[in-house]
Amino acid sequence: MDLLSQLVSLLPLKEALKTSTLSKSWKMIWTTHTDIVCDISSVLGVLRDESGKISLNVREEHRNQFIERVGHLMQQRLMGPNMRSIVISFPLSWKDGPHVARWVGDAVMKRIETIILNLDGGSGIVSFPFSIISAPGQACKIFDQKWSNNFRA
């Protein structure tokens, strides 16, 4: 990894993504990040209600934006080197399972070591095929919400 990639990988992911707008040569440098955190603040920013006040309510439109942006981020991230960890923390439901399965599958393709899924707050259980995370000869840890409080990416 060259010096520029090393420097960008030290930035928070949100800031590293912003570097992609600097020039064509900087467009994909952010993909050197080995630890990806996808939560409300990193993917959607601060949510505000109609009056402009900060809101903690996640609406359907926010869920759709989150799914679209994380999907796009993961597709671009496939062009980078292997990943160490990914944290997906957002209230999703069982109907979002195919999206979560695709993100986990993409992470496994990048030889991920740790996956943390905190999907609490959704209206049901998100499930995906276990075979997607059991790539031959590859160690992969998956943590649920109770473990995520003890993990620091």
Side-chain angles (χ1 to χ4, degrees), residues 33-48:
H33 261 267
T34 57
D35 300 301
I36 306 295
V37 176
C38 298
D39 59 16
I40 290 174
S41 64
S42 67
V43 175
L44 299 179
V46 176
L47 299 180
R48 299 190 183 276

Side-chain angles (χ1 to χ4, degrees), residues 53-92:
K53 295 180 181 174
I54 294 176
S55 171
L56 299 177
N57 295 330
V58 176
R59 296 188 217 130
E60 186 72 12
E61 66 194 68
H62 299 134
R63 186 189 66 76
N64 292 336
Q65 287 175 350
F66 183 86
I67 289 170
E68 180 182 324
R69 290 178 184 176
V70 172
H72 183 70
L73 180 140
M74 290 302 292
Q75 284 302 307
Q76 287 187 328
R77 184 56 189 80
L78 286 173
M79 295 180 230
N82 289 340
M83 296 171 65
R84 187 171 62 198
S85 69
I86 185 167
V87 176
I88 298 175
S89 180
F90 195 85
L92 297 172

Side-chain angles (χ1 to χ4, degrees), residues 8-148:
V8 171
S9 71
L10 296 174
L11 294 172
L13 181 61
K14 190 172 183 177
E15 300 304 316
L17 283 166
K18 289 179 183 179
T19 66
S20 67
T21 62
L22 294 175
S23 72
K24 287 182 182 181
S25 61
W26 283 68
K27 187 166 180 71
M28 299 306 290
I29 290 177
W30 75 268
T31 63
T32 58
H33 261 267
T34 57
D35 300 301
I36 306 295
V37 176
C38 298
D39 59 16
I40 290 174
S41 64
S42 67
V43 175
L44 299 179
V46 176
L47 299 180
R48 299 190 183 276
D49 62 19
E50 293 79 23
S51 67
K53 295 180 181 174
I54 294 176
S55 171
L56 299 177
N57 295 330
V58 176
R59 296 188 217 130
E60 186 72 12
E61 66 194 68
H62 299 134
R63 186 189 66 76
N64 292 336
Q65 287 175 350
F66 183 86
I67 289 170
E68 180 182 324
R69 290 178 184 176
V70 172
H72 183 70
L73 180 140
M74 290 302 292
Q75 284 302 307
Q76 287 187 328
R77 184 56 189 80
L78 286 173
M79 295 180 230
N82 289 340
M83 296 171 65
R84 187 171 62 198
S85 69
I86 185 167
V87 176
I88 298 175
S89 180
F90 195 85
L92 297 172
S93 70
W94 61 271
K95 65 183 176 184
D96 303 315
H99 300 290
V100 176
R102 187 171 52 251
W103 303 334
V104 170
D106 290 348
V108 169
M109 286 176 51
K110 297 311 293 182
R111 303 186 54 85
I112 193 84
E113 295 172 17
T114 303
I115 299 171
I116 296 177
L117 301 175
N118 180 356
L119 310 174
D120 192 30
S123 57
I125 297 170
V126 176
S127 62
F128 50 88
F130 188 76
S131 60
I132 204 167
I133 58 171
S134 58
Q138 181 175 331
C140 181
K141 297 175 265 182
I142 297 186
F143 296 101
D144 63 14
Q145 178 193 359
K146 68 182 177 184
W147 289 97
S148 65

